[in-house]
Amino acid sequence: MACSGNASRLAALVAAILPWTVMADAAGPSRPPDAEAAAMRERMVEMQIAARKIKDPRVLEAMRSVPRHRLVPEQAARHAYEDRPLSIGHGQTISQPYIVALMTELARVEPADRVLEIGTGSGYQAAVLAELAGHVYSIEIVEPLARSAAADLRDLGYGNVSVRAGDGYAGWPEYAPFDAIIVTAAPHKVPAPLLEQLKPGGRMVVPVGPSWATQQLKLIEKQDDGSIRTTNVAPVRFVPFTRKPVASPAD
Ligand SMILES: C[S@@+](CC[C@H](N)C(=O)[O-])C[C@H]1O[C@@H](n2cnc3c(N)ncnc32)[C@H](O)[C@@H]1O
């Protein structure tokens, strides 16, 4: 069938556009340039975090500083500052920026603090904590995630973060006690070794509850006399705290 005038113009247009489209796809997704990413972070802090009443200026500054787009898989980089969790592979996620800010504010991290994180994932929460703490110790049960987070954090210059692959249930007794502990996967019950490794005066932030259902984000404060005060902060949905064994350390 012959093309009409309009149809042939359309065909020419499609032919002109198509190679560009194919080339763009072939080149694949890319990370936003640093200046564009900084502007995206500024909007994220203003509209998702400060707007939801996160007030600690040190937390807001840390959220402005950490290049989240450099810690997610490349295909997710342009979505890094959206108001949602993202897949990081291996069936795991990087939490929504607001939840990272909320957990960080609840942990009340001071510059000399030693902080334990269970669930390194992408390394993003560890980087935010590293902006505020003396040293961050982070454990990840999925070994490839532990390795890539350790490498990315090193490349970004976070010399005050140690990552190891393993089951975080037993904590990291060699570096205990900790001023703050953040757990980014949901156990059914708070692991007893983590409570033991919290300093008197220390804070633990942990989602507790059933797998793949609504859990309760808890702030657990160990008093100077060793007693525990627990506050329910908000309903949340985190990936489950798993217990499968993992072999070698990431660094
Ligand atoms: C919500 S994701 C990670 C979020 C991460 N903090 C970030 O900033 O990307 C929770 C992580 O906890 C890990 N995890 C689950 N159970 C664990 C366990 N027993 N010990 C250590 N890591 C665990 C998962 O593999 C997953 O990577």
Side-chain angles (χ1 to χ4, degrees):
M1 189 174 69
C3 288
S4 72
N6 278 346
S8 64
R9 270 197 297 280
L10 183 64
L13 194 61
V14 168
I17 287 171
L18 196 58
W20 179 86
T21 310
V22 170
M23 271 171 57
D25 282 344
S30 62
R31 297 193 190 277
D34 285 346
E36 189 184 331
M40 290 161 109
R41 271 200 299 284
E42 195 55 52
R43 276 196 300 280
M44 170 192 85
V45 168
E46 191 186 321
M47 298 171 72
Q48 301 172 33
I49 296 171
R52 289 186 178 120
K53 309 274 182 274
I54 300 293
K55 290 197 168 75
D56 184 334
R58 294 182 65 234
V59 173
L60 296 175
E61 195 46 41
M63 298 297 294
R64 262 186 212 107
S65 301
V66 178
R68 183 172 162 101
H69 66 292
R70 300 268 304 271
L71 289 159
V72 297
E74 189 167 359
Q75 62 273 20
R78 289 206 162 264
H79 303 284
Y81 299 103
E82 292 173 6
D83 191 13
R84 60 184 173 111
L86 296 170
S87 166
I88 54 172
H90 306 276
Q92 303 303 329
T93 56
I94 177 174
S95 303
Q96 178 191 15
Y98 167 67
I99 291 292
V100 174
L102 175 64
M103 293 176 81
T104 307
E105 186 172 66
L106 289 166
R108 304 196 303 272
V109 177
E110 294 293 334
D113 280 0
R114 193 192 295 237
V115 179
L116 176 67
E117 180 196 23
I118 309 300
T120 319
S122 66
Y124 177 66
Q125 172 77 78
V128 170
L129 292 167
E131 294 279 339
L132 302 170
H135 202 98
V136 178
Y137 298 87
S138 186
I139 306 176
E140 169 55 53
I141 203 163
V142 178
E143 188 165 351
L145 286 178
R147 286 187 186 287
S148 65
D152 289 347
L153 289 164
R154 210 168 28 238
D155 290 350
L156 289 172
Y158 287 104
N160 61 341
V161 183
S162 303
V163 178
R164 84 171 166 81
D167 179 359
Y169 184 90
W172 203 330
E174 294 85 342
Y175 296 104
F178 298 97
D179 299 282
I181 300 179
I182 285 194
V183 183
T184 68
H188 292 224
K189 250 181 83 184
V190 180
L194 299 185
L195 271 180
E196 279 156 26
Q197 289 172 29
L198 192 61
K199 256 188 199 167
R203 295 80 52 201
M204 187 190 311
V205 185
V206 53
V208 180
S211 301
W212 310 117
T214 301
Q215 304 117 9
Q216 192 56 237
L217 185 64
K218 292 180 185 279
L219 169 64
I220 296 175
E221 294 166 286
K222 191 182 265 189
Q223 312 297 299
D224 289 340
D225 64 2
S227 62
I228 296 292
R229 189 171 72 197
T230 301
T231 310
N232 286 338
V233 176
V236 286
R237 279 179 82 104
F238 275 77
V239 295
F241 190 100
T242 54
R243 298 298 317 282
K244 60 183 180 333
V246 174
S248 63
D251 73 4

